[in-house]
Amino acid sequence: MNEKIPALKDRLHTRALVPLLILTIVEYEVFTFSKATVAAAKQDAWLSILIGAIIGSFIVYLFIKLTARFPNMSYFQYLPIVWGKPLGFLICCLYLLFWVAFLSSIFYESLLANKMLFLPQTPTIIPLILFALSLIWLVSSGLIPVIRFFQLLLPFLAIPLLILALLFTTSVKIDRFLPVLENGLLPVLKGSYYVLGAYQGPEVLLFAAPFFMKIKQGVKSSLLAYNITIFFGWSNTVAAIGILGVQNLNESVLPGINVVNLVEFPGFPVERFGLLLTLPWLIAIYSTLAIYLYLLCSSTFQLFNLRRRTWLIFIITAIPVTIAYLLPNEAWHEQLRLYLTVVSVPIVYLLPVMTLILAVVRKKGRTT
């Protein structure tokens, strides 16, 4: 790893931010409709998502402003410049720990998807190892090949989800969203916090910025990608509430699968639409694992000044894989997910904003 920043002419156009951010942000939790959000806001969870979209979009805009101050540096390179070396190093270590926990959660979710949807009789360690080996091969190639791979995958994720969003409209019952704001605005705002916590991924901008031409012109692409992911989450949440109802949604293990199985489209030759969700789900899990494993490996080598070694990549990958395999049951996983959702807001959103404010105050980086 320790990937060399390419020459300006070899960098990616900011349009490539769209597949990068969509396939980074969309993962398991978007399809399970963040139970914490629905538990907090109940039938008003759709409104929580819209409020979260406004807040998140503004913060993504600030991310571009931050990267524009350090266009040839990744986030870990300028954190010590802005915060000072000791505190910057501790913040970097905090991100590494967060990524290990996050990767462990998603690896476990890949096991869950495989067990329930694909190969239920296969020992869980086998698909886990196959996933890990293919990911090691992919991320070892560098960030630009990963992004090119995401560009190829994007239609297979986006098109089925758009079709599902249209199909959902035939089965949603409006009365399940009434009364609006029954418990006031506070539960809705609490739900918005959980929405932001469920949308990990925008921080990838801060690490990928040096690989793009004129990153300061990436505002439109970044906001487009972020709000497309919000739309997917919003449409799935509306369908879950409008078809299952709040109580059934909270009791369901995989609400997304349950909702798809209940969708009816009279006269259509296909009766079950499960593939429209399971294929994007698998792609989303794999792509999110790929980008975060890349960040974990490359940032570890950079932070501790290590030379890239294949055996080190295997060891780093083995840490979240082992944690995922040793998680006792789904209850432990849901608790881990809840903790990640809560801490994601300060780590993913607030820390970069504070870094931007501090960089402006201390006049660090470019000012034009």
Side-chain angles (χ1 to χ4, degrees), residues 135-189:
L135 286 165
I136 290 170
W137 172 79
L138 177 61
V139 303
S140 297
S141 304
L143 183 60
I144 290 181
V146 170
I147 296 174
R148 297 296 189 197
F149 180 64
F150 283 12
Q151 289 175 314
L152 296 174
L153 287 180
L154 182 60
F156 298 100
L157 179 132
I159 293 175
L161 292 181
L162 290 173
I163 294 174
L164 270 181
L166 293 174
L167 292 175
F168 286 153
T169 60
T170 65
S171 303
V172 170
K173 298 178 181 178
I174 302 299
D175 61 294
R176 294 190 172 175
F177 298 92
L178 301 175
V180 178
L181 295 176
E182 179 182 17
N183 299 310
L185 188 59
L186 186 60
V188 175
L189 295 177

Side-chain angles (χ1 to χ4, degrees), residues 80-112:
I81 297 174
V82 177
W83 291 90
K85 288 186 177 180
L87 190 53
F89 179 80
L90 290 176
I91 293 174
C92 292
C93 291
L94 176 64
Y95 275 96
L96 295 182
L97 292 174
F98 174 76
W99 291 336
V100 168
F102 187 51
L103 282 166
S104 302
S105 176
I106 303 180
F107 270 119
Y108 183 86
E109 288 149 9
S110 72
L111 292 180
L112 184 63

Side-chain angles (χ1 to χ4, degrees), residues 36-282:
T37 302
V38 176
K42 295 184 171 54
Q43 67 268 21
D44 295 319
W46 65 272
L47 184 57
S48 295
I49 295 176
L50 296 181
I51 295 174
I54 295 172
I55 298 171
S57 296
F58 178 67
I59 295 177
V60 168
Y61 169 78
L62 295 181
F63 282 6
I64 295 294
K65 291 298 182 182
L66 175 59
T67 60
R69 296 184 73 92
F70 305 92
N72 297 313
M73 302 173 69
S74 72
Y75 190 42
F76 274 18
Q77 288 176 307
Y78 56 79
L79 273 175
I81 297 174
V82 177
W83 291 90
K85 288 186 177 180
L87 190 53
F89 179 80
L90 290 176
I91 293 174
C92 292
C93 291
L94 176 64
Y95 275 96
L96 295 182
L97 292 174
F98 174 76
W99 291 336
V100 168
F102 187 51
L103 282 166
S104 302
S105 176
I106 303 180
F107 270 119
Y108 183 86
E109 288 149 9
S110 72
L111 292 180
L112 184 63
N114 182 73
K115 182 178 179 181
M116 299 190 69
L117 302 173
F118 302 109
L119 301 170
Q121 303 302 321
T122 303
T124 55
I125 191 62
I126 294 178
L128 194 59
I129 291 175
L130 293 176
F131 248 56
L133 290 176
S134 63
L135 286 165
I136 290 170
W137 172 79
L138 177 61
V139 303
S140 297
S141 304
L143 183 60
I144 290 181
V146 170
I147 296 174
R148 297 296 189 197
F149 180 64
F150 283 12
Q151 289 175 314
L152 296 174
L153 287 180
L154 182 60
F156 298 100
L157 179 132
I159 293 175
L161 292 181
L162 290 173
I163 294 174
L164 270 181
L166 293 174
L167 292 175
F168 286 153
T169 60
T170 65
S171 303
V172 170
K173 298 178 181 178
I174 302 299
D175 61 294
R176 294 190 172 175
F177 298 92
L178 301 175
V180 178
L181 295 176
E182 179 182 17
N183 299 310
L185 188 59
L186 186 60
V188 175
L189 295 177
K190 184 179 179 182
S192 296
Y193 181 94
Y194 288 123
V195 168
L196 291 174
Y199 277 76
Q200 302 96 343
E203 77 279 13
V204 170
L205 268 174
L206 308 174
F207 298 89
F211 296 85
F212 288 86
M213 297 183 293
K214 300 179 180 179
I215 189 62
K216 65 181 179 181
Q217 296 180 8
V219 174
K220 290 182 180 179
S221 297
S222 301
L223 291 179
L224 174 64
Y226 186 77
N227 283 284
I228 286 175
T229 64
I230 289 288
F231 171 75
F232 290 149
W234 181 84
S235 64
N236 288 329
T237 301
V238 167
I241 297 173
I243 296 174
L244 291 178
V246 171
Q247 183 175 353
N248 291 332
L249 192 158
N250 286 327
E251 294 174 356
S252 176
V253 177
L254 295 175
I257 301 298
N258 294 338
V259 169
V260 172
N261 288 336
L262 291 174
V263 170
E264 296 181 355
F265 198 66
F268 199 72
V270 177
E271 294 183 0
R272 292 194 174 272
F273 300 94
L275 185 62
L276 291 175
L277 184 62
T278 53
L279 176 61
W281 191 5
L282 186 61

Side-chain angles (χ1 to χ4, degrees), residues 76 96 295-306 316:
F76 274 18
L96 295 182
L295 290 180
L296 179 62
C297 293
S298 62
S299 298
T300 299
F301 294 143
Q302 175 189 319
L303 187 61
F304 297 102
N305 197 26
L306 300 172
I316 293 171

